[in-house]
Amino acid sequence: MERSFVNAGGEITVPEDANATGIIIPWGAELGFRLLSVGDGLCSLRLPWRPDLSGSNGGIASGAIASLIDHACGAAVMSRLERVSISTLNLKIDHIRLPTARSPVTAWAHCYRVSEIMTFVRAEVWDTDPAEVFAAAQGVFSINRGVAA
């Protein structure tokens, strides 16, 4: 079941358990990720614009965007699995254009396939208009299960 955290007024409300459930890990919290929704293999995160995260064009820098994509993809995967550890094996990001200056960015990720040992995810990133994606990504995550001794 998907949980949305955007109220009728468009304001984002992050549940108190977001950090406890592992949806927002410490690095994501440090960057300021905001959880919009998660569940059923889907995740949407927003990164508000900050001067210390901006690139030369005034938009959010590509490193922060890559972290946002990785985090959204990982959360989408985790929303389909029981409590297991995952690792990013491969994350390919196509930057289609520069992000708009001084704009927050939103990443939407979809875990579309789960096998015994791997998961496959797609993501899109936009700033002012979801129809105008500025980055697209595909990722593969490993499912790390304990080894019997």
Side-chain angles (χ1 to χ4, degrees):
M1 182 169 98
E2 183 172 341
R3 298 186 304 169
S4 179
F5 305 108
V6 181
N7 66 22
E11 299 168 331
I12 301 166
T13 57
V14 178
E16 290 186 27
D17 69 342
N19 289 339
T21 60
I23 295 168
I24 303 294
I25 61 172
W27 177 241
E30 182 68 27
L31 289 174
F33 295 167
R34 299 290 180 251
L35 180 64
L36 302 180
S37 63
V38 66
D40 297 328
L42 302 172
C43 180
S44 185
L45 293 174
R46 180 169 294 149
L47 176 57
W49 182 86
R50 293 187 347 216
D52 61 322
L53 296 178
S54 66
S56 59
N57 74 323
I60 295 178
S62 60
I65 292 167
S67 291
L68 179 71
I69 293 169
D70 187 40
H71 200 108
C73 288
V77 168
M78 293 302 291
S79 76
R80 285 200 55 185
L81 302 173
E82 295 298 318
R83 297 257 184 209
V84 297
S85 172
I86 61 171
S87 300
T88 307
L89 291 178
N90 183 31
L91 185 62
K92 179 187 180 292
I93 302 171
D94 294 316
H95 295 273
I96 301 163
R97 65 170 173 84
L98 291 171
T100 302
R102 305 182 68 86
S103 290
V105 297
T106 303
W108 177 85
H110 172 220
C111 178
Y112 63 92
R113 175 86 165 99
V114 176
S115 75
E116 185 65 27
I117 59 170
M118 290 186 290
T119 65
F120 301 85
V121 189
R122 292 185 185 111
E124 294 183 340
V125 187
W126 64 89
D127 42 33
T128 58
D129 181 359
E132 295 294 326
V133 170
F134 72 81
Q138 278 195 191
V140 180
F141 288 72
S142 68
I143 300 172
N144 307 320
R145 302 187 193 279
V147 177

